[in-house]
């Protein structure tokens, strides 16, 4: 028998592998047309069509007619009967919770403010209650919940789900997020830094899609960052990788909440930026500052300009170390657009190692305020697949 002859067994194995490739692509992207599936997986349109029909009949996939570029197309998603996942993002002063099906289609979501000194135990119990209420609102049985992803604005050891720093998030020091929420909901829970989750979301579904390496920076009340290299999030030894907000840029600067001196967050975090405005401007939020800058207010534009310049300096160090394909800027301050990005790119370009490929691309977030919770949903789906509860091949 010839060595390259395809046996019935190998044909079956190949088809199973192709099924898994298609399901994995849909799970990661949320929704694709059959043509897009062919491009992503490298399979022929005929193979895609046949397997999609087979998996739709089996209740694994769901298809619907749609229009792309003026032409009819068949949109492919995962079937809801595979189960639901929840994504949570705890901010310093806000909370976002979303419930989605296995194709990342959001079925219900809630956002609410948080007290600056909110504690982990009360916050996680509140989230568990919200998830139960959201499940009821979409007529879902509690058994349909497969996994939960949680993002918090502090470094997390993803092996244990523990917040590993002291003082970064008062009331959360040393908390095992996975254990507490897992016990409340009786499902697998995965916890991570919220900016790392946002980086995952931007790399899979947003401004970083199609790039091999993505650096994400969020500038809002605080400053956070995340890295995705080779398609995988980078956490480091203890979950601190990507914490650009706590890179020291002024050794004589003010003491930061992390205990270090002169961190980037102390220069471009919301409290610092708002303190630079004239007192007669009144009580303003970071969103107010951005709106005033976009409206042409000279003082506000200068504050945002300087923030972009400082951020560019810090990013130059990061880019010289990891050389990402693209830098994605998110958070409230990113809504200032080119008022922030132009000085950022100039400052960054002056300090990175020059190459024949030119400066690194810097782009605004495509997912905006949803990046963190979308990343939490993606992490929950990954967790469901790892535990084998999603009901599809890996």
């Amino acid at each position: 028998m010839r060595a390259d002859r395809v046996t019935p067994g190998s044909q079956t194995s190949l088809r199973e592998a192709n099924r898994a490739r298609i399901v994995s692509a849909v799970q990661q992207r949320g929704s694709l047309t059959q043509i897009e599936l062919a491009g992503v997986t490298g399979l022929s349109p005929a193979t895609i069509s046949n397997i999609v029909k087979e998996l739709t009949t089996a209740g694994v996939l769901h298809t619907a007619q749609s229009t792309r570029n003026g032409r009819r197309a068949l949109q492919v998603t995962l079937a809801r009967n595979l189960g639901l996942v929840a994504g949570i993002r705890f901010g310093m002063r806000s909370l976002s919770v979303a419930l989605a099906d296995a194709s990342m289609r959001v079925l219900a979501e809630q956002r609410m403010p948080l007290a600056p000194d909110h504690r982990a135990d009360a916050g996680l119990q509140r989230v568990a209650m919200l998830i139960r209420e959201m499940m009821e609102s979409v007529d879902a049985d509690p058994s349909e919940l497969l996994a939960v992803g949680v993002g918090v604005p502090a470094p997390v050891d993803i092996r244990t789900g523990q917040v590993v720093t002291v003082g970064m998030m008062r009331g959360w020091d040393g908390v095992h997020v996975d254990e507490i929420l897992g016990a409340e909901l009786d499902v697998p829970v995965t916890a991570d830094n919220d900016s790392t989750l946002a980086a995952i979301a931007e790399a899979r579904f947003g401004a970083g899609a199609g790039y091999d390496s993505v650096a994400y920076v969020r500038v809002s009340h605080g400053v956070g960052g995340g890295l995705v290299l080779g398609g995988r999030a980078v956490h480091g030894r203890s979950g601190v990788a990507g914490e650009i907000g706590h890179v020291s840029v002024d050794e004589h600067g003010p003491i930061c909440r992390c205990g270090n001196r002169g961190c980037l967050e102390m220069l471009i975090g919301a409290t610092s930026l708002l303190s630079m405005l004239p007192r007669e401007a009144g009580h303003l939020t970071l969103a107010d500052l951005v709106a005033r800058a976009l409206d042409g207010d000279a003082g506000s534009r200068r504050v945002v300009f300087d923030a972009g310049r400082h951020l560019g300096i810090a990013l130059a160090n990061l880019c010289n170390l990891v050389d990402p394909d693209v830098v994605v800027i998110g958070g409230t301050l990113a809504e200032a657009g080119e008022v922030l990005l132009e000085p950022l790119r100039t400052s960054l370009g002056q300090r990175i190692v020059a190459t024949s490929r030119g400066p690194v691309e810097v782009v605004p977030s495509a997912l905006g305020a949803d990046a963190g919770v979308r990343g939490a949903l993606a992490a929950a789906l990954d967790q469901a697949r790892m535990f084998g509860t999603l009901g599809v091949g890996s």
Side-chain angles (χ1 to χ4, degrees):
M1 184 170 64
R2 288 177 52 187
D4 60 351
R5 182 179 175 183
V6 178
T7 66
S10 62
Q11 284 275 30
T12 301
S13 298
L14 177 61
R15 192 164 184 82
E16 287 296 329
N18 289 342
R19 286 194 195 99
R21 195 182 306 178
I22 290 170
V23 170
S24 178
V26 176
Q27 185 259 316
Q28 288 199 8
R29 304 296 180 92
S31 175
L32 300 101
T33 65
Q34 290 196 133
I35 296 299
E36 289 170 336
L37 264 175
V40 169
T41 62
L43 300 174
S44 71
T47 299
I48 293 290
S49 179
N50 289 334
I51 294 179
V52 165
K53 287 179 182 176
E54 178 185 323
L55 292 176
T56 301
T57 301
V60 175
L61 297 180
H62 172 75
T63 60
Q65 291 292 338
S66 66
T67 303
R68 284 288 177 91
N69 300 321
R71 301 179 64 179
R72 293 182 66 188
L74 196 65
Q75 201 76 22
V76 183
T77 59
L78 294 180
R80 173 176 163 175
N81 61 12
L82 296 176
L84 304 176
V85 292
I88 302 156
R89 179 188 175 260
F90 282 96
M92 295 300 296
R93 300 188 178 187
S94 63
L95 169 68
S96 298
V97 184
L99 185 70
D101 62 19
S103 65
M104 289 285 286
R105 180 169 63 96
V106 174
L107 306 176
E109 60 185 324
Q110 289 203 36
R111 300 174 189 272
M112 59 189 64
L114 289 174
D117 58 349
H118 62 274
R119 298 188 61 84
D121 50 3
L124 291 170
Q125 287 173 3
R126 186 179 187 184
V127 157
M129 180 183 68
L130 281 173
I131 291 174
R132 293 188 190 102
E133 290 176 354
M134 293 164 78
M135 294 281 289
E136 289 179 9
S137 74
V138 298
D139 296 322
D141 188 89
S143 64
E144 292 185 61
L145 186 65
L146 305 178
V148 176
V150 186
V152 297
V156 174
D157 184 340
I158 61 165
R159 297 166 301 180
T160 63
Q162 183 183 26
V163 177
V164 295
T165 51
V166 177
M168 292 271 284
M169 199 177 173
R170 285 191 305 172
W172 289 72
D173 294 347
V175 169
H176 288 266
V177 178
D178 294 14
E179 289 182 8
I180 295 174
L181 193 56
E184 286 279 345
L185 294 170
D186 195 28
V187 295
V189 175
T190 181
D192 205 338
N193 175 264
D194 63 336
S195 292
T196 299
L197 293 176
I200 291 170
E202 291 288 352
R204 291 188 186 182
F205 321 114
Y211 293 95
D212 183 66
S213 55
V214 178
Y216 171 85
V217 179
R218 175 186 48 77
V219 189
S220 290
H221 178 74
V223 181
L227 292 170
V228 175
L229 304 180
R232 297 176 64 88
V234 177
H235 295 94
R237 179 177 59 90
S238 56
V240 181
E243 279 289 354
I244 192 172
H246 298 283
V247 170
S248 181
V249 292
D250 180 4
E251 64 177 332
H252 302 296
I255 301 295
C256 178
R257 63 190 173 99
C258 73
N260 290 330
R261 185 183 289 277
C263 291
L264 178 66
E265 185 173 289
M266 299 304 295
L267 291 178
I268 67 171
T271 301
S272 177
L273 296 183
L274 294 173
S275 71
M276 298 178 191
L277 294 173
R279 184 168 298 179
E280 55 268 24
H283 178 72
L284 300 174
T285 65
L286 188 59
D288 295 330
L289 170 64
V290 169
R292 287 163 61 100
L294 291 172
D295 286 343
D297 178 73
S300 298
R301 289 180 71 88
R302 181 63 198 216
V303 169
V304 175
F305 178 95
D306 285 348
R309 185 169 54 84
H310 289 305
L311 183 53
I313 293 171
L315 275 171
N317 293 323
L318 176 67
C319 290
N320 283 336
L321 285 171
V322 300
D323 196 22
D325 293 317
V326 65
V327 175
V328 180
I329 308 297
T332 303
L333 196 62
E335 295 170 14
E338 290 301 313
V339 182
L340 174 77
L341 296 182
E342 184 178 353
L344 190 164
R345 292 190 186 105
T346 299
S347 180
L348 174 63
Q350 291 170 343
R351 291 167 175 84
I352 60 172
V353 175
T355 70
S356 59
R357 293 191 60 182
V360 63
E361 189 173 359
V362 179
V363 299
S365 163
L367 302 177
D370 292 330
V373 76
R374 286 286 298 275
L377 287 170
L381 274 174
D382 290 346
Q383 183 86 334
R385 296 185 72 202
M386 185 175 72
F387 275 80
T389 55
L390 191 58
V392 297
S394 59

